[in-house]
Amino acid sequence: MKMKKASVTILLFLTITETIFCQIKILPSERKMAPKVDTLFSKWNNNHSPGVSLAVIKDEKIVYEKSFGMANLEYSIPNKSNTVFNVASLSKQFTAFSIALLANKGKLSVNDDVHKYIPELPDYGTKITILNLLTHTSGLKDQWDLLYLAGWKQDDIIFNQDVLNLIFRQKELNFSPGERFQYCNSGYTLLALIVERITGKTFATWTKDNIFTPLGMSNSFFLDNYQLIIKNKAYSYKASEKGFEKSLINSTTTGANGLHTSLKDLCKWVDNYHTKIVGNDKVIKTIDAIPSLQKLPSIDSVNNKELKLNYGYGQGIKRYRGQTLIGHDGSDAGYRTYIGRFPNQNLSIILLGNFEAFEAEKTAMQIADIFLAEQLEPVTKEDAVAGKKLLIPESIEKAISGEYQIGHAKVLRIFVVDRNIVGEIKSEKRRFDLIPLSNTEYESRTDAINIKYIKCKNTEVDSISFSEKGNVNRAAKLLSVDLSHLKEYTGEFYCGHLSTTYSINFKDNQLVAILPRGNVVTITQIEYDNFFGSYWWIRDIKFLRNTSNEITGFEINNGRAKKNQFLKIR
């Protein structure tokens, strides 16, 4: 009977809290800012595109809250404050908060060796602490680099155990723990596993019982079942030449990502930094104290170094126009999300988008410019001239890629690396970035080059208009490129710690790596034995030779997963 009374009391408290928090009167001065914010989202304010839900919280009041565009284009369902988004890496602050709660209860110490809870993790000959995982200083290889290198696709069904199987097979670190900062999703997947092993509950269940339910976040959960029917779900979209397409994701990994939540719920989450319904002063101070612009004592006790950190407990800290900003963004498939807090101004901004081209953090700063106009330092020259990067459909990137004959002496090569378009004059060994101005026009600001892509008509060949320093040339795309010099790089190559075989061969007049599950990645030669792939997870490729100058294999060194060595098997 006492338990029943307590439950009713808590429910009543949460209901009253929600009513007060969501219905406080907005000051006239703050209401005047609404039209300026509306202008930022005018292109999303329709019923035929994806969109965004956003809230601005000032002094514990919601001073702006609105949704634009569609959560579901097939049925014309609009985004609302209770629309459920996959918030991607915003999940990390909830995972870190879980660790802080357990540490506060004496269930663990952030200085504990991770092997105490996860003995399956290989022994790298040095201690990896929970704090290493929280601050991205563990040296572990990133799970997404590993998964994609092993041939997995974004729309594959991926569980935490699939991730763990790969992590546990890695015999080397990228660097010694505590030596440097390198963003690592693997660490947060391991943190979720630690929560499970300490509490005896699944991570989804424990966070529901200890964070979401106490805060009244009824639309929030970590997804651990990809077949779950999610009410009020925002679908994920990307651009194509014909319009919008679904950007599919079937991952059910938790810890580094996997949180599904709504704008309405995240307002309660941000408010908890003040109300402390979940956690206490010590927990909140811990969460906000670790990311620091000051030098922190090294967590690498062996080398006794000092490491300057600006990240910890699932959040980063930096200066924006002279003010302290604590925040994090999220990006997964077509979802683009952001939570940013200006603690000294008591201002928080929440953005949840469902289209890959939406720039969540940049837009949040534009909102901050409006609400904190009198408190921010003047915009720097660099900020003023920074150009907006237009994200064009991958099909167009693929179409423009190739070689073009400019006059008699020059050949221009255009290729794409990680959604960045690059041009190279082969004979001059001159390379430059090409910034999209539209789907068909590109420029290099440093080299004063302008390129217009001209799609072929009937039997004509695709071409470009190439302009440099006032000289304009029409350049036809070369349909046949001599790749005979690349033949020695072909063959079958195997990587043991990925348990994966790549076939390097020619396809569609290009050198490609054919991965498991039918993945095909174009690899482009930079210089002798050095190549890079057309996707972010297969960048720096260095072919290896023996003393007889024969190709024996290659090594892939991505930013977040280095020393991936493949040996030639045939």
Side-chain angles (χ1 to χ4, degrees):
M1 190 67 177
K2 288 183 179 179
M3 289 182 66
K4 186 174 181 181
K5 273 188 176 181
S7 299
V8 172
T9 302
I10 292 172
L11 181 61
L12 180 61
F13 171 75
L14 291 174
T15 303
I16 293 172
T17 301
E18 178 178 339
T19 302
I20 294 174
F21 183 57
C22 295
Q23 295 184 1
I24 290 177
K25 186 177 180 180
I26 299 173
L27 297 175
S29 59
E30 292 164 342
R31 188 176 290 110
K32 289 179 181 178
M33 299 175 185
K36 296 180 181 179
V37 179
D38 290 345
T39 302
L40 297 176
F41 298 92
S42 57
K43 67 180 177 181
W44 309 106
N45 192 18
N46 59 68
N47 60 5
H48 54 264
S49 77
V52 59
S53 291
L54 69 144
V56 180
I57 303 168
K58 183 78 167 70
D59 298 326
E60 288 83 70
K61 308 180 200 59
I62 298 178
V63 296
Y64 184 98
E65 186 231 287
K66 193 172 285 189
S67 295
F68 301 88
M70 297 290 109
N72 183 296
L73 291 174
E74 291 174 305
Y75 294 97
S76 297
I77 301 172
N79 283 315
K80 297 180 180 179
S81 64
N82 67 340
T83 300
V84 176
F85 290 77
N86 177 339
V87 297
S89 285
L90 293 191
S91 308
K92 290 182 174 67
Q93 57 195 273
F94 291 83
T95 304
F97 200 87
S98 301
I99 293 293
L101 289 175
L102 292 175
N104 188 58
K105 294 178 181 179
K107 301 292 185 181
L108 59 82
S109 167
V110 294
N111 295 312
D112 286 343
D113 191 326
V114 174
H115 293 87
K116 176 179 178 180
Y117 307 98
I118 311 176
E120 308 97 307
L121 188 68
D123 181 0
Y124 298 108
T126 183
K127 181 180 179 180
I128 300 176
T129 66
I130 291 175
L131 192 57
N132 284 136
L133 304 183
L134 288 165
T135 55
H136 297 303
T137 57
S138 67
L140 290 167
K141 297 180 182 181
D142 190 86
Q143 64 189 49
W144 298 115
D145 290 69
L146 294 174
L147 281 164
Y148 294 145
L149 284 171
W152 294 76
K153 296 180 179 179
Q154 178 179 273
D155 57 354
D156 281 338
I157 298 166
I158 305 172
F159 297 100
N160 267 34
Q161 193 57 52
D162 298 314
V163 173
L164 294 171
N165 289 342
L166 268 175
I167 293 174
F168 294 159
R169 283 212 299 266
Q170 305 311 304
K171 304 303 181 185
E172 293 181 286
L173 297 172
N174 286 335
F175 53 84
S176 297
E179 183 178 290
R180 69 181 73 126
F181 170 91
Q182 186 175 78
Y183 194 86
C184 180
N185 289 282
S186 303
Y188 275 75
T189 296
L190 294 180
L191 289 171
L193 181 60
I194 290 172
V195 172
E196 292 184 339
R197 292 190 171 175
I198 288 176
T199 65
K201 295 183 178 180
T202 67
F203 186 66
T205 299
W206 192 88
T207 49
K208 177 183 177 182
D209 294 344
N210 292 273
I211 298 178
F212 303 136
T213 297
L215 289 178
M217 297 174 66
S218 57
N219 292 316
S220 302
F221 56 92
F222 275 94
L223 181 67
D224 56 5
N225 175 10
Y226 73 97
Q227 293 178 315
L228 184 71
I229 295 173
I230 302 173
K231 293 183 178 180
N232 303 317
K233 175 183 176 180
Y235 284 75
S236 162
Y237 296 97
K238 62 182 179 181
S240 73
E241 290 182 86
K242 297 181 179 179
F244 298 109
E245 289 182 354
K246 292 180 182 177
S247 184
L248 299 177
I249 178 171
N250 292 314
S251 168
T252 52
T253 55
T254 56
N257 61 346
L259 176 64
H260 288 62
T261 186
S262 66
L263 181 71
K264 185 177 181 181
D265 279 7
L266 287 179
C267 288
K268 299 174 185 178
W269 167 249
V270 168
D271 192 48
N272 187 62
Y273 283 93
H274 304 282
T275 62
K276 303 179 183 69
I277 295 172
V278 176
N280 53 30
D281 285 337
K282 182 180 178 181
V283 170
I284 300 301
K285 286 180 180 178
T286 298
I287 290 294
D288 280 352
I290 283 293
S292 171
L293 294 177
Q294 305 301 316
K295 284 190 174 181
L296 300 178
S298 173
I299 49 181
D300 180 1
S301 59
V302 176
N303 297 316
N304 195 28
K305 294 179 180 178
E306 285 189 339
L307 181 66
K308 186 178 179 180
L309 290 176
N310 59 4
Y311 188 102
Y313 283 88
Q315 301 176 103
I317 187 169
K318 62 183 179 182
R319 305 290 289 179
Y320 177 73
R321 295 183 61 185
Q323 301 299 335
T324 299
L325 170 63
I326 300 174
H328 208 294
D329 65 342
S331 174
D332 212 342
Y335 297 108
R336 298 293 182 268
T337 59
Y338 182 76
I339 296 178
R341 295 183 291 125
F342 289 86
N344 296 332
Q345 288 73 36
N346 204 5
L347 178 83
S348 298
I349 300 169
I350 306 169
L351 288 166
L352 305 177
N354 60 331
F355 180 50
E356 67 167 2
F358 176 59
E359 299 175 290
E361 183 173 1
K362 182 177 179 179
T363 306
M365 296 308 98
Q366 293 173 325
I367 295 171
D369 292 342
I370 294 171
F371 278 90
L372 301 178
E374 297 179 0
Q375 296 163 277
L376 298 176
E377 292 181 356
V379 177
T380 65
K381 182 179 179 181
E382 290 75 17
D383 291 335
V385 301
K388 180 180 178 182
K389 179 183 176 182
L390 176 67
L391 189 64
I392 65 174
E394 290 184 62
S395 56
I396 295 177
E397 292 177 346
K398 185 176 180 181
I400 194 175
S401 297
E403 295 191 354
Y404 299 82
Q405 185 71 48
I406 302 175
H408 297 290
K410 291 183 180 180
V411 172
L412 168 69
R413 180 171 60 142
I414 297 178
F415 50 92
V416 180
V417 182
D418 192 17
R419 308 305 306 272
N420 295 304
I421 304 172
V422 182
E424 180 188 46
I425 305 295
K426 295 180 69 175
S427 58
E428 301 172 7
K429 296 183 178 179
R430 177 159 58 100
R431 189 170 296 160
F432 41 85
D433 291 326
L434 290 170
I435 309 300
L437 304 178
S438 69
N439 285 352
T440 58
E441 188 172 2
Y442 314 84
E443 72 173 7
S444 170
R445 292 171 183 150
T446 56
D447 289 59
I449 290 173
N450 183 275
I451 291 175
K452 292 182 180 179
Y453 177 61
I454 304 167
K455 185 73 175 174
C456 66
K457 296 180 179 179
N458 301 323
T459 59
E460 293 180 12
V461 177
D462 287 1
S463 62
I464 60 170
S465 172
F466 180 84
S467 173
E468 182 176 19
K469 298 178 181 178
N471 297 317
V472 181
N473 288 278
R474 179 77 175 257
K477 191 172 189 178
L478 300 175
L479 297 180
S480 179
V481 180
D482 183 12
L483 300 177
S484 59
H485 65 289
L486 300 178
K487 188 175 181 180
E488 66 173 326
Y489 297 104
T490 62
E492 302 286 319
F493 300 82
Y494 177 75
C495 178
H497 70 259
L498 294 174
S499 190
T500 300
T501 299
Y502 284 14
S503 175
I504 308 293
N505 219 317
F506 295 107
K507 183 178 181 180
D508 298 331
N509 207 34
Q510 293 175 314
L511 192 65
V512 299
I514 302 173
L515 285 60
R517 297 177 173 85
N519 279 340
V520 178
V521 179
T522 302
I523 60 173
T524 303
Q525 188 177 36
I526 306 173
E527 55 190 12
Y528 182 72
D529 286 348
N530 292 311
F531 291 72
F532 56 72
S534 53
Y535 292 98
W536 61 266
W537 41 268
I538 181 169
R539 285 182 178 168
D540 181 6
I541 306 168
K542 171 71 175 178
F543 279 85
L544 309 173
R545 296 176 182 269
N546 59 20
T547 55
S548 301
N549 205 36
E550 299 169 324
I551 298 289
T552 59
F554 60 83
E555 186 172 88
I556 297 176
N557 284 287
N558 287 344
R560 297 180 184 174
K562 301 184 181 299
K563 306 172 187 176
N564 302 288
Q565 194 165 110
F566 288 72
L567 299 178
K568 188 169 185 177
I569 56 177
R570 67 175 67 91

